Amino acid sequence: MTAPPGPAPAAEVLAIVDLETHFPLNRGTLKAVEGVSLTLRAGETLCVVGESGSGKSVTARSILNIVKPGRIVGGHIWFRPDAVIGAGNGNGPAIDLCALDPDGPRLRAIRGARIAMIFQEPMSALSPMHTIGQQIIEAVRLHRAMDKQEARARAIELLRQVQFREPETAIDRYPFQLSGGMRQRALIAMALSCQPQVLIADEPTTALDVTTQAEILSLIRSLQQRYGMAVLLVTHDMGVVAEMADRVAVMQGGRVIEHGPVDAVFRAPREAHTRRLIEAARLLERRGNRAAGTPAGGPGQAPILSVRGLCLAFRGTTGFLRRRATAVHALRDVSFDVAPGEALGIVGESGSGKTTLARALLGIHRVDAGQARFRRADGSLVDLCARQGYADRSLYAEIRMIFQDPFAALNPRQTVEQIIAEPLRIHRLCQRSGIGDRVAALLRDVDLSADVMDRYPHAFSGGQRQRIGIARAMATNPRLVVADEPTSALDGSLRAQILDLLLELRNRLGLSIILISHDIGVVRYFCERMAVMRQGELVEIGASDQICDAPRHPYTAELLAAVPRAGPRHARLRDPDAAGPD
Amino acid sequence: MARYLARRLLLMAATMAALSIVCFAIIQLPPGDFLSARLAEMAGTGDTVDVANVAWLRAQYGLDEPFIVQYWLWISGVVGGDLGFSFELRMPVAEVIGERLGISLTVEILAIIVLWAIAVPVGVYSAVRQYSIGDMAATLFGFIGLAIPNFLLALLLMYLSYIAFGVTIGGLFSPEYVDARWSAGRLLDFLGHVWAPVLVIATGGAAQIIRILRANLLDELSRPYVDTARAKGMAEWRLILRYPVRVAMNPLVSTVGWLLPTIISSSIVTGIVLNLPTLSPILLRSLLAQDMHLAGGLILLIGVLTLLGTLLSDILLAWLDPRIRLG
């Protein structure tokens, strides 16, 4: 063979051809991947994007054949160990990864050494019983002939490369002692331990908040350049695609429906589905249709909730054998008002105290100082944070909560009807005979069919479960709803649907809402006013548009900058000056 | 650590004090006492009763005194190391317990070793190869083991060994070795007998452990950290044993301490059926005969073992699980 004329195309380090991966179901099979063909060139970043269930993760996992209980039933995955950037295809033989025994030594010699993988959930992707050092050292020693001391030195060096502070001590930490972002760094260090040619990243930042996401993405980018790795990045977020990708493959229903260079796909998407994904990511760059219904009340009217000087510190001892007294100041002198019919957004990173605030307002945490006066339907005032705040249980009918995790927030042993009817029964808001009709009406309000009443939560998708959770919150005709990250467990287009549903309910029912999110885009979309929290303090509060257009506090600006923008031109990471924190 | 232990030991002492009152009260609940029960029995069989002896015993142990005085007499003795006197067996309680504690301990520890040696590999296999033939067989064995009462299994074993080998199994020693000193012969004889109770006690317990381990491990096997280990290139069995099994064993380790009190209380019926010279049959006998010092001593011992076992579990778990040690 002669080399092609002109600049040599980058060698293809991976070529997926007609891949089919199936999962056995109780009846029949789920064809998760149906005839996918993709190529990954040495040193480039390919983003595989799609909604949940599109087969993108299964495609990525098929490369290393980690798809249990599924099985690769057709196709080839050619891996060229000798492919390098800027050269033609190497002359060495390509290995068909699909033809190797999934538990056999040949594939195991490639896993972790030539092709490494990181996963979505940094919380659970590390063993809770072993230190990160033990887990990284093991990865090193599986493929390299090193003794324990050398491997430990190598692990410390890897931790330094992924920007751990004090890697010499961090190496002996257990995963639960680290934040989500740090765990993901540890996983990246593990993946890099043998300098692989290919890094497969399956939704590496989905479980992280936006500022951490930006850090992790820029870390991956700089390590990629340093090692000349090819990266296959799986994501549902077009914003991430815009930041990272050289080329994009859009998946739907187990097939690749569109692929090409990132600029072309963003500028002129061929498929309607691709346009929808881009649209869903851009949605959060502007405000929602929140002014459609004029909220009842307005400025000048007495606030429905008036919070003054809330302080709360978690004191306690940690450690079983070596006890240490600790105090975490989760809320420091937090004050704000919520007008009737208003939506107030509370934004901050994880650990900023926003969830603690919600729990304090619901009487779950006892505050050290301050009060939160709530104006009840009959006009009387009650301090929610006082010891006797919720002594009158009927208050729980006026203030309701929507939870973050739609999977954990519904009792798996109750039917949808039992779940939604429970607040009605507790507060005796409904005749026994009328409960069925009321539940049906609530289900229609959240765009679910009334026939689903007898089913159990496991029969529903994440988005549908969140709708059930919303119906449960609305059951008592509440006046104030506290929504704690209601969309962060959902992917792009579902997020938009749920936000629009909440907007519609709010406009129709004149609800006041406190929406808590780490994503400043979600808050801008949904709320007239937002408050920015950092380490327990409210650093900025004001009209959403104003804060987003001209943030006064540098932390707010940082949060805004971290949100990935759905256009390759915005991608900050391409700008070498902006790449990587320090 | 030292402070923690001191606090735990102090709490244990308080618990023991409360426990001793409750158990003494319960023993005293049925009307009458050991002597009146004994007298009625002797009168029934037409034996003569030594009235003077009875009166002396009553005075000696304060049987006519109010409850609180009797309790005081007993507990002050116990604290001083005198566990009292068994009326039924006509020997000091400490001697009765001392004689049988070693045997009880040996049988129970052997049973626990056999139990874990069966249960852990089977449980791991069962989870890793869920719904395979082997798993189904283990499940079947498990449910049979759970469903058959131990004494029935003991009877079955006795019957089968008699039919098949013409051997009667029962007791832990052949008659010629019962009171002999320890020797190679006695040890062999002991091993020849002990397998039956060990097997009976182990099967029931193993079934339970297999089910718990299987369920725990099934949860752990689908965790992302297992995939992380696969993506590193680890061999399948090696990674399963290193990661998910380690986590799945935790709940079992935390119950290890609960096995301590079973040295006395677990195998009462089995002990009677197989005629074992262990503590459990004695406990039942003493309760039936209202032999209050012996019963009180044994129940107190169960209490001590329970508390020690819990402490042991907690320390073991903290040692094994960093989340508890440091969290």
Side-chain angles (χ1 to χ4, degrees):
Chain A
M1 268 180 72
T2 49
E12 287 172 1
V13 63
L14 269 183
I16 302 174
V17 183
D18 296 329
L19 179 73
E20 290 183 38
T21 305
H22 294 179
F23 285 77
L25 298 177
N26 283 343
R27 262 170 290 171
T29 50
L30 171 72
K31 295 177 179 168
V33 176
E34 283 189 277
V36 164
S37 298
L38 288 171
T39 55
L40 181 66
R41 298 184 193 126
E44 78 164 351
T45 302
L46 171 68
C47 280
V48 179
V49 64
E51 293 182 319
S52 30
S54 61
K56 58 190 193 305
S57 271
V58 178
T59 302
R61 287 165 157 261
S62 296
I63 296 170
L64 290 177
N65 210 334
I66 302 177
V67 290
K68 279 177 184 172
R71 216 161 59 81
I72 298 176
V73 295
H76 305 277
I77 297 174
W78 298 105
F79 170 56
R80 276 181 200 283
D82 59 349
V84 281
I85 305 171
N89 283 345
N91 298 322
I95 305 166
D96 185 0
L97 301 180
C98 295
L100 301 179
D101 172 12
D103 292 332
R106 288 191 64 200
L107 188 56
R108 289 207 311 271
I110 292 172
R111 284 181 188 162
R114 304 304 196 97
I115 304 177
M117 186 157 183
I118 56 177
F119 295 92
Q120 175 171 3
E121 292 286 338
M123 302 295 162
S124 46
L126 287 162
S127 160
M129 308 280 279
H130 301 82
T131 62
I132 57 170
Q134 286 168 340
Q135 299 182 59
I136 296 171
I137 289 168
E138 182 182 61
V140 174
R141 294 194 6 128
L142 272 171
H143 301 288
R144 295 267 194 276
M146 282 191 191
D147 65 27
K148 286 200 171 150
Q149 284 311 312
E150 289 172 311
R152 188 179 164 88
R154 169 92 181 121
I156 290 173
E157 169 55 27
L158 286 164
L159 288 176
R160 184 170 293 120
Q161 285 179 21
V162 296
Q163 294 159 6
F164 260 80
R165 264 174 299 223
E166 299 177 22
E168 291 86 359
T169 52
I171 190 170
D172 293 320
R173 293 284 168 80
Y174 288 93
F176 61 86
Q177 295 173 307
L178 302 172
S179 67
M182 281 298 154
R183 291 183 218 199
Q184 194 59 281
R185 284 168 200 263
L187 280 164
I188 293 172
M190 191 192 294
L192 293 177
S193 58
C194 299
Q195 305 189 359
Q197 285 148 294
V198 179
L199 177 69
I200 302 168
D202 184 3
E203 304 254 16
T205 58
T206 303
L208 306 173
D209 62 31
V210 276
T211 39
T212 317
Q213 163 168 303
E215 286 168 23
I216 295 290
L217 290 179
S218 81
L219 177 69
I220 290 176
R221 189 125 199 132
S222 68
L223 290 168
Q224 175 184 21
Q225 280 157 3
R226 178 166 179 176
Y227 286 108
M229 282 185 302
V231 173
L232 188 136
L233 183 82
V234 174
T235 180
H236 67 261
D237 187 344
M238 273 295 188
V240 172
V241 176
E243 298 232 341
M244 298 291 286
D246 298 314
R247 289 189 306 127
V248 192
V250 182
M251 284 192 70
Q252 187 186 23
R255 297 172 196 278
V256 174
I257 55 166
E258 178 162 7
H259 74 285
V262 64
D263 285 310
V265 170
F266 270 90
R267 206 175 324 112
R270 275 188 292 117
E271 297 287 328
H273 185 67
T274 311
R275 276 196 291 277
R276 267 201 303 280
L277 288 174
I278 296 172
E279 207 34 53
R282 285 194 178 141
L283 184 71
L284 299 183
E285 289 174 20
R286 54 183 166 76
R287 43 187 288 181
N289 188 22
R290 56 185 188 234
T294 326
Q301 197 176 345
I304 186 169
L305 179 70
S306 173
V307 175
R308 289 292 173 272
L310 281 195
C311 292
L312 190 157
F314 291 108
R315 284 168 226 285
T317 51
T318 57
F320 176 79
L321 301 180
R322 269 160 289 169
R323 290 186 169 269
R324 294 180 300 271
T326 54
V328 178
H329 292 274
L331 297 177
R332 299 172 204 247
D333 195 17
V334 171
S335 304
F336 60 86
D337 287 333
V338 181
E342 182 187 46
L344 175 72
I346 297 185
V347 201
E349 288 173 277
S350 37
S352 62
K354 52 197 196 309
T355 294
T356 307
L357 175 62
R359 305 185 118 224
L361 291 178
L362 282 147
I364 299 168
H365 290 321
R366 182 90 39 232
V367 297
D368 298 329
Q371 49 178 320
R373 279 194 297 187
F374 175 72
R375 188 174 300 278
R376 301 200 57 171
D378 59 13
S380 62
L381 283 172
V382 52
D383 180 3
L384 301 178
C385 293
R387 190 165 285 277
Q388 293 299 314
Y390 282 88
D392 180 0
R393 308 294 292 177
S394 67
L395 200 51
Y396 280 117
E398 289 186 50
I399 304 174
R400 303 284 298 163
M401 183 147 181
I402 298 170
F403 298 91
Q404 171 171 9
D405 184 346
F407 293 87
L410 303 178
N411 183 342
R413 306 264 187 272
Q414 285 188 326
T415 64
V416 169
E417 181 181 15
Q418 287 168 330
I419 288 169
I420 297 178
E422 193 160 75
L424 295 172
R425 290 182 213 274
I426 289 171
H427 296 290
R428 299 205 176 81
L429 293 175
C430 211
Q431 293 287 326
R432 189 172 289 272
S433 56
I435 282 182
D437 292 339
R438 176 81 179 117
V439 172
L442 284 163
L443 283 171
R444 277 193 296 276
D445 278 350
V446 295
D447 300 328
L448 286 174
S449 152
D451 341 319
V452 304
M453 259 195 261
D454 299 327
R455 292 202 219 151
Y456 289 88
H458 68 80
F460 297 91
S461 67
Q464 288 171 322
R465 288 184 208 213
Q466 198 56 293
R467 287 171 192 272
I468 295 167
I470 292 171
R472 174 175 61 184
M474 297 301 161
T476 58
N477 287 322
R479 297 172 58 244
L480 176 66
V481 170
V482 179
D484 185 5
E485 303 265 14
T487 59
S488 63
L490 308 173
D491 61 24
S493 49
L494 278 176
R495 183 181 305 171
Q497 286 172 22
I498 293 290
L499 285 178
D500 283 336
L501 169 70
L502 276 173
L503 269 180
E504 191 262 329
L505 285 171
R506 180 192 149 208
N507 290 339
R508 185 148 56 84
L509 305 173
L511 287 173
S512 309
I513 294 187
I514 296 178
L515 180 91
I516 290 167
S517 177
H518 68 263
D519 187 341
I520 204 164
V522 166
V523 171
R524 169 168 45 187
Y525 186 73
F526 194 82
C527 303
E528 292 88 47
R529 285 201 309 143
M530 67 166 78
V532 182
M533 276 191 87
R534 183 195 193 189
Q535 290 172 9
E537 242 173 309
L538 270 190
V539 296
E540 188 164 1
I541 184 165
S544 296
D545 298 329
Q546 202 179 339
I547 286 186
C548 290
D549 293 341
R552 270 177 317 197
H553 197 282
Y555 178 68
T556 315
E558 217 176 288
L559 278 180
L560 275 167
V563 181
R565 309 283 286 275
R569 259 166 305 147
H570 292 296
R572 296 154 295 132
L573 300 176
R574 272 157 216 284
D575 177 3
D577 297 334
D582 47 271
Chain B
M1 182 68 190
R3 263 185 66 192
Y4 172 78
L5 270 182
R7 206 166 49 106
R8 280 293 293 263
L9 289 173
L10 217 65
L11 273 173
M12 277 168 65
T15 314
M16 282 313 300
L19 183 72
S20 68
I21 296 177
V22 172
C23 82
F24 199 75
I26 290 172
I27 295 165
Q28 298 266 316
L29 271 184
D33 53 39
F34 172 73
L35 289 176
S36 53
R38 184 79 184 158
L39 284 175
E41 194 186 310
M42 286 169 96
T45 54
D47 283 353
T48 50
V49 179
D50 182 352
V51 179
N53 191 11
V54 168
W56 181 82
L57 279 172
R58 274 192 189 285
Q60 179 75 18
Y61 292 103
L63 293 184
D64 290 327
E65 304 284 347
F67 168 78
I68 195 73
V69 177
Q70 288 194 42
Y71 171 73
W72 180 250
L73 276 173
W74 176 64
I75 200 69
S76 50
V78 169
V79 171
D82 174 16
L83 292 175
F85 189 81
S86 164
F87 303 114
E88 169 90 3
L89 300 172
R90 296 178 183 282
M91 60 201 287
V93 169
E95 228 169 274
V96 179
I97 292 180
E99 200 172 68
R100 292 171 172 249
L101 189 61
I103 299 284
S104 281
L105 215 59
T106 315
V107 171
E108 205 63 38
I109 287 175
L110 280 176
I112 289 167
I113 291 172
V114 171
L115 187 163
W116 283 68
I118 299 174
V120 172
V122 174
V124 170
Y125 179 86
S126 228
V128 174
R129 298 264 182 272
Q130 193 189 7
Y131 302 137
S132 66
I133 304 273
D135 175 35
M136 306 268 192
T139 304
L140 187 70
F141 163 79
F143 280 126
I144 291 175
L146 273 180
I148 298 183
N150 276 352
F151 74 90
L152 200 64
L153 200 62
L155 283 176
L156 199 69
L157 217 54
M158 286 169 90
Y159 175 75
L160 287 178
S161 79
Y162 186 73
I163 294 291
F165 309 111
V167 183
T168 36
I169 46 173
L172 287 174
F173 299 102
S174 308
E176 64 268 31
Y177 283 112
V178 167
D179 290 317
R181 305 180 122 263
W182 279 105
S183 62
R186 193 174 191 234
L187 187 67
L188 281 177
D189 182 60
F190 175 70
L191 291 177
H193 282 87
V194 81
W195 64 271
V198 162
L199 203 63
V200 168
I201 300 170
T203 39
Q208 217 172 350
I209 304 270
I210 289 172
R211 299 309 296 170
I212 296 173
L213 184 56
R214 180 178 182 270
N216 287 343
L217 190 53
L218 278 177
D219 282 347
E220 293 302 325
L221 282 173
S222 57
R223 302 251 186 235
Y225 66 79
V226 180
D227 281 339
T228 305
R230 280 196 190 112
K232 277 195 231 181
M234 282 182 90
E236 190 72 8
W237 273 107
R238 190 170 153 204
L239 75 88
I240 286 172
L241 292 179
R242 184 161 154 88
Y243 293 111
V245 169
R246 171 85 198 272
V247 181
M249 290 292 287
N250 252 10
L252 292 180
V253 168
S254 66
T255 59
V256 160
W258 301 351
L259 294 172
L260 266 188
T262 61
I263 288 167
I264 298 176
S265 61
S266 77
S267 43
I268 292 183
V269 186
T270 313
I272 291 169
V273 169
L274 287 173
N275 189 26
L276 303 179
T278 57
L279 283 170
S280 13
I282 290 288
L283 173 63
L284 182 66
R285 244 174 92 183
S286 66
L287 286 170
L288 288 176
Q290 284 188 270
D291 190 351
M292 60 185 192
H293 286 178
L294 184 54
L298 283 172
I299 293 177
L300 216 52
L301 189 59
I302 292 178
V304 171
L305 290 174
T306 307
L307 292 176
L308 275 180
T310 314
L311 181 65
L312 195 77
S313 277
D314 287 354
I315 293 173
L316 206 58
L317 202 59
W319 177 61
L320 277 178
D321 191 338
R323 288 170 294 186
I324 293 173
R325 192 167 63 238
L326 307 166

